[in-house]
Amino acid sequence: MTLYRTTASAVVRRALLGLLGVALLVTAACGAPAQGGGTTDTTLTVAISNNPSSLDPQAGPSGTDHVALYPLYATLVEFDPATLKATPGLAESWSFTDPTTLQLKLRPGLTFSDGSPLDAAAVKASLERYRTQTNKADLSNVTAVEAPDATTVLLKEKTPDSSLVLVLADRAGMVVGPTASNADFAQKPVGAGPYTLVSYSPGDRLVLKRNPSFYGTPPPMENLEMRIITDPKAAANALLSGQIDFADNLDANDMPQLQNSGKLTVESPVGLWFDMIYFNLAQKPLDDVRVRQAINLALDRDEIIQGTVNGQGEPARQPLPTSHWAYDKANDAIWPHDVARAKQLMAEAGYPAGGVTLTSVATASPLEIRRNEIIRSQLAEIGIDYRVQSMDTNQGVSLYFEKQGTNAAQYAWSGRPDPGQTYNRLFAQNSYQNPGKVAIPGLDQVLTQAVATEDTAQRAAAYARADKLIADFAPYAPLYFRGDVTAYSTSVTGYTASLLGKPKVAFLDKKSGA
């Protein structure tokens, strides 16, 4: 196809026209580097690609928030970055005392950053608050939380659910302090992470300082500054000029320049983060399964990867990448690129001559614009007019998921530590990510079976059955798993890429004088 290449190139040219201005704006926003080209010896400076939707971990819905939340909040459970296997956090151990009771044993003597005790009662209060929030689906199977003594927490479940352990390594396990009841908590967060918030200027930066009350080894850097740079080209320029020390979610097309600079370490690991088109299954034309299947067959995922991220990724036809233990090789052939079959399905759905409009929303950035222009040209081949509104991510999330103002949304799913979270959040009838509240026949039963055991082989077999049900129903259009282009100064040490794909930067170190 030549159409998308012409269109994508035009988009890139338009984007490049503004890059000099963007770079200058970022330079002004970031401030001048310290003598010698780096930031101060006591400060690590990190770029984040979006404003946090909230600094209250229980309130915000965006998966891009985690990089800002991890330094502020310790989690009940941690995980190994390579395997996502659960490891101790605030809870030094855990066990299922019966099939529906998870017992946590907390480390003794824990405190929040404001000095208040982080004991079982505080954990109970945090978990109970979480169950009233936007993301409450993560704890929807929990019926009660008990604190029989100062270091013991019991979570009672309706049905056996082994995924609960790693749920506590995510937002639900980010324990919030007693001031969470205050109306201004998101502006003055209190957690138990390695850093505390000094100031937050939306659209500009977060400034953090080391938390002297942190339970573990203190972070090596006294200060952590997170600069909000939404344009990946501007983030690359800031790296190259030494204004920042670390950035991820960069544009793959900038990799050669970053690699050739001699100043940076550059990586592109494929993790759980994948780009997709969310469907509102209650709105026309997406209420017809044949239209949803046709969209999936019309998409040339390899072409999208090449045209958008310079080949840095792998096609997505399931909610998990090939490196994950629950990936189902038998379902590799789901949704091949088949325009002829897609056109046949559109005709069967009553659209033989096209004339179908699909409204969507996406983030306003050159990379997202490139991707959606390619999608638009591919869907045009089967008679679908794909119309995308580009806007701030948080505004777009509200428009689609909460106001239901578009048929679809072209965003990413950022991944969760346990696959049970991913399948439940993306496909359960009453989840936030399913604004149409349409159930996939038979899926809930299979997902319940998948978490009823801790045996990974049995769980993987259940997810394979779920993948088949999902493919038949086509409730979304997965595109590709990103190679997360990450670059950091050669003076920075201690970074380990995670399969989860959400960088933990609190324990990075920077050589003196960098």
Side-chain angles (χ1 to χ4, degrees):
M1 291 173 57
T2 58
L3 175 60
Y4 97 84
R5 293 190 180 95
T6 301
T7 305
S9 298
V11 171
V12 172
R13 285 196 300 272
R14 289 196 302 270
L16 287 173
L17 292 175
L19 287 180
L20 178 60
V22 170
L24 291 173
L25 286 172
V26 170
T27 301
C30 293
Q35 189 67 32
T39 50
T40 61
D41 292 346
T42 61
T43 301
L44 181 78
T45 307
V46 172
I48 58 176
S49 58
N50 283 290
N51 276 297
S53 58
S54 177
L55 293 181
D56 178 348
Q58 301 185 358
S62 176
T64 61
D65 293 346
H66 287 66
V67 65
L69 296 176
Y70 283 139
L72 295 171
Y73 300 96
T75 50
L76 289 166
V77 176
E78 289 282 349
F79 54 82
D80 177 83
T83 65
L84 302 185
K85 181 180 179 181
T87 59
L90 295 171
E92 60 185 1
S93 65
W94 57 86
S95 62
F96 283 94
T97 57
D98 63 56
T100 57
T101 302
L102 176 62
Q103 176 181 273
L104 306 175
K105 296 298 291 185
L106 302 179
R107 299 175 189 271
L110 295 170
T111 63
F112 290 103
S113 59
D114 65 356
S116 57
L118 197 169
D119 54 13
V123 172
K124 179 178 185 292
S126 181
L127 292 171
E128 288 182 336
R129 178 178 183 263
Y130 189 92
R131 294 170 67 200
T132 70
Q133 303 296 313
T134 301
N135 301 298
K136 61 185 177 183
D138 284 342
L139 295 181
S140 61
N141 193 46
V142 174
T143 59
V145 182
E146 300 175 2
D149 60 55
T151 58
T152 304
V153 179
L154 302 176
L155 287 85
K156 302 287 186 175
E157 302 179 295
K158 288 181 284 190
T159 57
D161 185 353
S162 61
S163 73
L164 181 58
V165 174
L166 280 173
V167 165
L168 301 178
D170 203 63
R171 285 182 180 270
M174 296 180 183
V175 183
V176 297
T179 59
S181 58
N182 297 347
D184 63 349
F185 180 73
Q187 289 74 49
K188 300 177 181 179
V190 174
Y195 285 93
T196 62
L197 183 68
V198 175
S199 64
Y200 172 35
S201 302
D204 183 18
R205 70 190 68 195
L206 295 88
V207 178
L208 297 87
K209 66 179 180 180
R210 188 188 290 145
N211 175 14
S213 301
F214 180 61
Y215 74 90
T217 302
M221 301 300 291
E222 182 179 337
N223 305 298
L224 176 61
E225 188 170 297
M226 295 184 163
R227 298 184 180 173
I228 300 161
I229 307 177
T230 58
D231 187 330
K233 173 65 72 173
N237 289 339
L239 278 165
L240 291 167
S241 64
Q243 296 176 76
I244 60 174
D245 303 308
F246 178 99
D248 79 318
N249 204 20
L250 295 165
D251 191 329
N253 294 284
D254 289 327
M255 283 185 70
Q257 183 184 15
L258 296 170
Q259 291 168 328
N260 293 334
S261 71
K263 304 175 182 178
L264 303 168
T265 301
V266 184
E267 304 174 4
S268 183
V270 173
L272 299 184
W273 182 299
F274 71 98
D275 287 280
M276 61 182 284
I277 306 175
Y278 290 82
F279 293 160
N280 188 321
L281 305 178
Q283 293 186 2
K284 291 184 178 301
L286 296 172
D287 59 341
D288 192 317
V289 66
R290 294 166 295 189
V291 173
R292 303 194 300 266
Q293 291 172 341
I295 290 171
N296 275 288
L297 291 168
L299 293 170
D300 184 338
R301 291 166 172 82
D302 290 318
E303 189 173 43
I304 294 171
I305 293 170
Q306 191 60 46
T308 305
V309 291
N310 201 26
Q312 299 296 311
E314 67 176 47
R317 293 180 175 87
Q318 304 175 34
L320 300 169
T322 55
S323 59
H324 196 278
W325 59 264
Y327 179 80
D328 178 28
K329 293 182 180 179
N331 280 325
D332 272 342
I334 288 175
W335 296 325
H337 180 223
D338 190 340
V339 174
R341 175 58 180 153
K343 288 180 177 178
Q344 182 182 348
L345 285 167
M346 291 297 290
E348 292 173 7
Y351 306 108
V356 177
T357 298
L358 182 65
T359 61
S360 185
V361 66
T363 298
S365 78
L367 183 144
E368 310 296 334
I369 292 171
R370 275 203 309 272
R371 183 190 303 117
N372 281 284
E373 287 287 351
I374 298 170
I375 294 170
R376 177 177 170 79
S377 69
Q378 292 181 355
L379 295 186
E381 291 191 63
I382 63 169
I384 293 178
D385 181 8
Y386 180 66
R387 300 182 181 179
V388 181
Q389 299 179 60
S390 296
M391 61 180 66
D392 171 79
T393 301
N394 292 328
Q395 292 177 347
V397 165
S398 176
L399 178 64
Y400 172 73
F401 290 104
E402 297 168 11
K403 299 176 183 177
Q404 300 192 45
T406 58
N407 308 138
Q410 201 286 282
Y411 287 128
W413 173 251
S414 62
R416 296 296 185 272
D418 191 278
Q421 290 174 274
T422 288
Y423 281 82
N424 185 62
R425 291 288 294 276
L426 287 180
F427 308 117
Q429 181 177 6
N430 293 314
S431 77
Y432 179 83
Q433 281 74 18
N434 183 358
K437 307 306 178 192
V438 175
I440 300 175
L443 183 65
D444 286 353
Q445 180 181 359
V446 174
L447 295 184
T448 298
Q449 294 169 354
V451 296
T453 176
E454 296 181 79
D455 184 280
T456 55
Q458 293 182 39
R459 295 190 70 194
Y463 288 125
R465 295 194 296 274
D467 289 334
K468 182 63 170 62
L469 293 172
I470 292 165
D472 290 343
F473 202 72
Y476 71 147
L479 300 174
Y480 61 88
F481 289 92
R482 294 188 189 184
D484 183 16
V485 180
T486 303
Y488 49 94
S489 169
T490 53
S491 66
V492 171
T493 59
Y495 180 66
T496 302
S498 168
L499 178 59
L500 183 60
K502 301 175 183 180
K504 292 191 174 185
V505 299
F507 292 95
L508 301 186
D509 198 1
K510 188 170 68 172
K511 296 175 187 175
S512 178

